[in-house]
């Protein structure tokens, strides 16, 4: 549970295997993005490994994502089990990462697959050292089972993972559509209203796993808001109106920067929260909720919902089958309990409650 101890574990593994450096890697098999904990390896290699050269790694057990997931076994392998050293040295991957950062041989210890993310420990040696041999394999085989269990436990019990289901459930209670988005627009999570909004083809779409405005003139402004919230120096959010469709009111969109996520030993990239309010689909506030929030009686809640929803007191009295004076008296108590003084203020209050879900 002490994520900081993974650095000590990697140091010990490198010493036991006679390696110059070690990395605990958590990487998407889908697009190569990921994060790592490293010792004895230049940190400048990390953005190249997960970025420019992520899709050029020749040390893969299969070509496609589906094949890799099907073929994965938590085995211990070295680079020459995939291709000869001469072939490896000719690859862009070797020339772009291994050679510039004085790495020549790698021993890979598979730990597991979580969704589409592969976890493993990579041990590296420089050109000045021989290829990993039997002694290194035996040492890592001795610890392999313990490493798998340790990583699985740390992932399962990390604060982020243990709270993820609760967070998803909480976001689903909101009336607004919520998209948790990475810097490139890739969506990490959506709540139920967001999925409905996309399915209804109102304002936004999901293209290649990324959020995108349906109006072509609004694509770049939305991308700019997200990038500014995550990558900008001030990390400011912003707001814009999204076109919903002919004859429909626009959607209100706000972008709020969020901090980086902590998942087990890793710190993954920061997120932005894209929140979209669709005024055309707001549901009236339930009378029971008004009773709970403000201590209204059932009769007062009915009047509050009617008048706050736009009905005049006289029309509400007719519909509810009570006298106009009764509605006036109940409305006065509603104003007193909710802290508002006018029908317009009550309408705004109920609209804010409806937006919050």
């Amino acid at each position: 549970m002490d994520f900081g101890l993974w650095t000590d574990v990697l140091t010990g593994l490198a010493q036991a295997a006679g390696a110059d450096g070690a990395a605990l890697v958590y990487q998407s098999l889908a697009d190569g993005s990921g994060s790592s904990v490293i010792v004895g390896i230049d940190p400048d290699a990390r953005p190249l490994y997960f970025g420019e050269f992520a899709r050029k790694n020749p040390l893969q057990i299969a070509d496609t994502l589906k094949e890799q997931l099907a073929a994965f076994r938590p085995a211990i392998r070295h680079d020459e089990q995939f291709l000869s050293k001469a072939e490896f040295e000719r690859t862009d991957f070797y020339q772009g990462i291994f050679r510039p950062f004085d790495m020549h041989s790698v021993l890979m210890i598979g730990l597991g697959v979580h969704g589409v993310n592969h976890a493993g420990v990579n041990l590296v040696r420089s050109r000045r050292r021989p290829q990993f041999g039997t002694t290194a394999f035996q040492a890592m085989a001795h610890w392999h089972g313990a490493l798998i269990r340790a990583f699985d436990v740390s992932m399962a019990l990390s604060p982020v993972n243990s709270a993820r289901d609760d967070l998803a459930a909480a976001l689903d209670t909101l009336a607004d559509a919520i998209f948790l988005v990475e810097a490139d627009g890739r969506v990490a999570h959506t709540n139920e209203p967001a999925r409905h909004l996309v399915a209804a083809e109102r304002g936004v779409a999901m293209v290649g796993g990324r959020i995108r405005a349906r109006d072509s003139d609004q694509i770049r402004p939305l991308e700019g808001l997200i990038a500014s919230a995550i990558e900008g120096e001030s990390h400011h959010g912003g707001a814009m109106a999204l076109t919903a469709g002919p004859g429909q009111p626009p959607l209100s969109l706000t972008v709020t920067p969020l901090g980086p996520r902590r998942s087990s030993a890793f710190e993954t990239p920061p997120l932005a929260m894209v929140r979209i309010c669709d005024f055309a689909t707001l549901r009236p506030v339930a009378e029971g909720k008004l009773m709970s929030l403000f201590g209204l009686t059932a009769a007062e809640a009915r009047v509050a919902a009617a008048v706050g929803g736009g009905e005049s007191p006289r029309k509400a009295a007719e519909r509810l089958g009570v006298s106009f004076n009764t509605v006036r008296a109940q409305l006065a108590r509603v104003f007193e309990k909710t802290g508002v003084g006018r029908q317009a203020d009550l309408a705004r209050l109920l609209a804010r409650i409806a937006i919050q879900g």
Side-chain angles (χ1 to χ4, degrees):
M1 288 301 295
D2 186 347
F3 307 136
L5 292 180
W6 275 102
T7 300
D8 296 334
V9 171
L10 294 175
T11 300
L13 291 175
Q15 292 174 348
D20 297 306
L24 174 63
V25 176
Y26 192 62
Q27 185 173 30
S28 168
L29 294 172
D31 61 13
S33 62
S35 55
S36 63
V37 178
I38 59 176
V39 295
I41 297 175
D42 191 329
D44 289 342
R46 184 156 38 197
L48 294 173
Y49 185 87
F50 294 116
E52 179 182 351
F53 294 95
R55 305 300 293 272
K56 299 179 180 180
N57 189 344
L59 309 179
Q60 303 283 354
I61 55 178
D63 293 329
T64 68
L65 172 61
K66 184 177 180 180
E67 291 172 341
Q68 289 187 66
L69 292 174
F72 177 82
R73 300 293 183 274
I76 302 175
R77 302 178 174 91
H78 62 75
D79 54 271
E80 289 189 310
Q81 290 178 265
F82 294 88
L83 67 174
S84 70
K85 186 65 70 178
E87 291 174 312
F88 186 32
E89 289 178 349
R90 289 195 295 268
T91 64
D92 291 342
F93 186 82
Y94 182 95
Q95 293 296 325
I97 296 180
F98 268 57
R99 184 174 180 179
F101 296 99
D102 194 25
M103 296 183 287
H104 185 65
S105 302
V106 57
L107 184 66
M108 295 160 285
I109 307 167
L111 299 183
V113 169
H114 300 257
V116 297
N117 296 306
H118 162 260
V121 172
N122 294 339
L123 303 175
V124 296
R125 284 180 177 177
S126 72
R127 181 177 289 275
R128 296 180 296 277
R129 306 283 295 277
Q131 175 71 21
F132 289 101
T134 302
T135 301
F137 268 85
Q138 290 177 342
M140 295 305 100
H142 176 75
W143 293 106
H144 196 191
L147 287 170
I148 292 173
R149 289 191 297 273
F151 186 80
D152 285 346
V153 168
S154 70
M155 289 295 291
L157 300 183
S158 69
V160 167
N161 286 340
S162 63
R164 183 174 293 134
D165 291 342
D166 291 339
L167 173 62
L171 291 179
D172 280 341
T173 66
L174 300 178
D176 287 354
I178 303 294
F179 301 81
L180 300 185
V181 183
E182 297 175 358
D184 62 354
R186 189 177 300 276
V187 175
H189 180 80
T190 58
N191 68 350
E192 191 65 22
R195 293 188 285 274
H196 287 163
L197 186 66
V198 171
E201 300 183 351
R202 287 175 51 79
V204 293
M206 293 282 284
V207 180
R210 292 172 169 82
I211 185 173
R212 183 173 180 177
R214 287 190 171 274
D215 187 328
S216 59
D217 291 336
Q218 297 176 329
I219 292 175
R220 289 194 177 279
L222 176 55
E223 292 175 345
L225 280 180
I226 294 172
S228 177
I230 296 177
E231 299 178 331
E233 294 183 4
S234 57
H235 295 285
H236 283 164
M240 63 181 291
L242 281 180
T243 301
Q248 300 180 22
L251 307 176
S252 172
L253 179 147
T254 59
V255 180
T256 304
L258 303 177
R261 297 164 289 163
R262 191 73 185 179
S263 178
S264 188
F266 308 105
E267 186 175 272
T268 55
L271 301 173
M273 180 175 71
V274 177
R275 182 168 185 163
I276 301 175
C277 177
D278 186 356
F279 296 108
T281 61
L282 286 180
R283 298 185 298 270
V285 180
E287 294 172 7
K289 187 168 187 176
L290 294 176
M291 294 168 65
S292 300
L293 289 175
F294 303 110
L296 303 182
T297 66
E300 291 165 354
R302 284 194 293 271
V303 169
V307 175
E311 284 187 340
S312 68
R314 191 171 298 279
K315 186 173 182 178
E318 294 174 0
R319 185 176 60 81
L320 295 173
V322 297
S323 70
F324 174 62
N325 288 335
T326 296
V327 168
R328 287 186 62 184
Q330 291 171 337
L331 187 58
R333 291 194 293 272
V334 169
F335 286 163
E336 179 181 354
K337 291 180 179 180
T338 59
V340 301
R342 298 181 304 166
Q343 182 176 345
D345 295 333
L346 180 62
R348 282 193 290 269
L349 175 63
L350 266 59
R352 288 199 296 270
I353 296 172
I355 290 172
Q356 291 173 352

